[in-house]
Amino acid sequence: MIRKAKRNHSLFPDSSLCKYFFNVAKENQADAEKFLEDYRKNTDKNLPIISKATLAEQYQSETMSTVITGMAVSVIIAFVGILNFINSMVTAIVSRKKEFAMIQSVGMTTKQLRKMLIFEGLDYAVLTLAASYLIGTLAVGIGVRVMVASSWSSTFQFTIMPLVLCTPVLLLFAVIVPCICFKNIEKASLVERLRAAE
């Protein structure tokens, strides 16, 4: 390979060698890389060397950076979505204090009311999850697949695992949030709540 470079240089003596590309058989790749590293170390310390291994490392680094960015954005969106879900439930419960006080005054027990709120929370969660599974599957399965198809360096693998992992978290919040809200509402007596409602 060095002989070939010298021959090309002898054909064009007035020009300097800027770049030199060469292929190496797979079994000789380690030897070639060692030779180039020794050459840079002992002969030309400023010689830039780009090998198949360095390109693979660079690509791996860029891929990892993209994955981390995507994961960070997904976690933030999931966090905002869960907070929005909790906020909607809390607002719905707190704004109905008068209604709860009235139905308790005509005989509904605390246990029945708590059960009703938990079922309402689960209804919200099931509707949210159904919409997320449907819209998410369509958006990722069609939209992302089309975007990735135009890129030669990307592959597409469809998975709903992140949504499956979020499902029990959302169902848990659908049970816990109504219980906590109702517990706070119940700190005031029924009479106080009816008077506050007036």
Side-chain angles (χ1 to χ4, degrees):
M1 55 188 161
I2 299 300
R3 251 180 285 155
K4 185 178 179 182
K6 286 179 178 176
R7 188 174 72 240
N8 288 340
H9 188 65
S10 64
L11 292 173
F12 306 98
D14 297 331
S15 62
S16 59
L17 192 65
C18 296
K19 283 187 181 179
Y20 183 68
F21 299 90
F22 61 92
N23 294 322
V24 178
K26 196 171 184 180
E27 59 272 13
N28 299 326
Q29 192 171 338
D31 293 334
E33 286 181 8
K34 186 177 181 301
F35 167 77
L36 290 172
E37 284 298 328
D38 289 341
Y39 183 82
R40 179 162 62 181
K41 197 179 204 180
N42 302 319
T43 309
D44 186 0
K45 293 183 180 180
N46 296 320
L47 178 70
I49 299 170
I50 300 173
S51 67
K52 184 179 178 181
T54 55
L55 287 174
E57 284 174 15
Q58 184 181 354
Y59 180 76
Q60 200 71 22
S61 175
E62 288 174 4
T63 304
M64 187 59 67
S65 175
T66 304
V67 168
I68 290 170
T69 303
M71 292 277 285
V73 171
S74 300
V75 167
I76 290 167
I77 291 172
F79 185 67
V80 170
I82 289 171
L83 283 179
N84 188 37
F85 175 75
I86 292 170
N87 184 47
S88 299
M89 288 186 63
V90 170
T91 304
I93 292 169
V94 170
S95 64
R96 292 162 63 198
K97 281 198 288 187
K98 180 179 179 179
E99 177 189 332
F100 297 152
M102 289 178 69
I103 59 178
Q104 278 185 294
S105 67
V106 294
M108 191 174 201
T109 64
T110 301
K111 187 177 179 182
Q112 288 173 327
L113 187 53
R114 188 184 293 113
K115 192 175 179 182
M116 182 190 81
L117 290 173
I118 288 171
F119 278 116
E120 281 184 6
L122 288 171
D123 285 343
Y124 284 136
V126 168
L127 288 172
T128 302
L129 288 168
S132 298
Y133 274 100
L134 179 64
I135 296 168
T137 301
L138 290 173
V140 174
I142 297 171
V144 177
R145 188 190 294 271
V146 169
M147 287 191 299
V148 171
S150 61
S151 174
W152 65 270
S153 61
S154 302
T155 57
F156 178 78
Q157 183 178 359
F158 179 73
T159 177
I160 57 168
M161 189 54 67
L163 197 54
V164 170
L165 293 174
C166 286
T167 298
V169 175
L170 203 61
L171 293 173
L172 187 65
F173 278 121
V175 174
I176 291 173
V177 172
C179 291
I180 293 172
C181 287
F182 188 64
K183 191 175 180 182
N184 287 332
I185 290 171
E186 271 201 317
K187 286 179 181 177
S189 67
L190 185 59
V191 175
E192 287 173 340
R193 279 184 280 152
L194 284 169
R195 282 177 181 169
E198 290 171 2

